[in-house]
Amino acid sequence: MTERRQQAVIGIAGWKNSGKTTLAVRLIGELTRRGYCVSSLKHAHHDFQIDTAETDSARHRRAGAREVAIVSPDRWAVIAELKGRPEPSLEEMLARLAACDIVVVEGFKRAPIAKIEARRGVGLSRPPLSPSDPDIIAIAADHVVADATVPVYDLDDIAGLADLVLKRLGLVGRGAS
């Protein structure tokens, strides 16, 4: 049996409209550009659809299939209906991903993983996460952050954030796969 390599995981956390998705996308792009194999895992707090209308997969799912797998020459996906079962944990979802160098996790703001807190000035009415979360290793903000206890980066400093992530995950000096 082939041994499964442990993925390095970094989270992007923040309140709604804090810039999490934009930061995750740009960080994934930078890490990929540097030659790392990157996967992502996103948490949604609401019902979402990835197969809508009358696609064959949507019809299979609505007919009652617990899981629907879609395969094409370009990509594949599995859609699983929970049907009242509990939401899978972050650990369970990470175990389902193929081996890679880094997994960028968006959401899961309370998970015990190293995270970057995304902050935008428009969300200043919400309390910052970092004072109460020891797993936040940095803040990426579009405004001045006073009294921060972790390094603060500009939201646009993607290269600097990628350097931080690689250092934190112990990947500096290790070749990308």
Side-chain angles (χ1 to χ4, degrees):
M1 184 189 321
T2 305
E3 183 178 320
R4 183 176 167 86
R5 184 176 72 194
Q6 181 70 33
Q7 303 116 316
V9 177
I10 188 69
I12 307 293
W15 298 108
K16 184 176 180 177
N17 296 321
S18 62
K20 295 182 305 291
T21 299
T22 300
L23 178 57
V25 167
R26 293 180 72 195
L27 187 59
I28 291 165
E30 177 67 14
L31 293 168
T32 300
R33 185 188 65 72
R34 294 184 187 194
Y36 290 90
C37 176
V38 182
S39 291
S40 70
L41 178 57
K42 174 160 176 41
H43 185 264
H45 289 285
H46 46 79
D47 188 26
F48 65 92
Q49 297 295 319
I50 62 170
D51 59 346
T52 58
E54 287 303 310
T55 61
D56 291 349
S57 59
R59 293 174 64 202
H60 293 199
R61 185 178 49 78
R62 285 195 306 268
R66 177 181 274 184
E67 290 191 330
V68 177
I70 308 164
V71 181
S72 80
D74 297 321
R75 69 188 57 87
W76 66 270
V78 175
I79 304 161
E81 288 291 322
L82 293 176
K83 298 188 184 261
R85 294 184 317 270
E87 177 181 306
S89 69
L90 174 61
E91 293 76 18
E92 290 170 309
M93 294 309 300
L94 288 170
R96 290 190 74 131
L97 294 176
C100 63
D101 297 315
I102 304 166
V103 179
V104 175
V105 175
E106 180 186 340
F108 292 96
K109 74 172 141 269
R110 301 291 179 217
I113 59 172
K115 295 182 278 290
I116 298 168
E117 180 180 358
R119 292 189 195 172
R120 289 182 52 221
V122 296
L124 288 176
S125 62
R126 303 297 305 257
L129 301 174
S130 60
S132 62
D133 187 344
D135 294 314
I136 292 179
I137 62 167
I139 297 166
D142 68 354
H143 59 278
V144 174
V145 177
D147 302 325
T149 58
V150 294
V152 177
Y153 290 78
D154 187 282
L155 262 174
D156 290 325
D157 185 4
I158 302 305
L161 287 162
D163 290 342
L164 171 77
V165 166
L166 294 172
K167 182 177 179 184
R168 171 63 187 223
L169 298 178
L171 296 174
V172 172
R174 289 177 40 193
S177 59

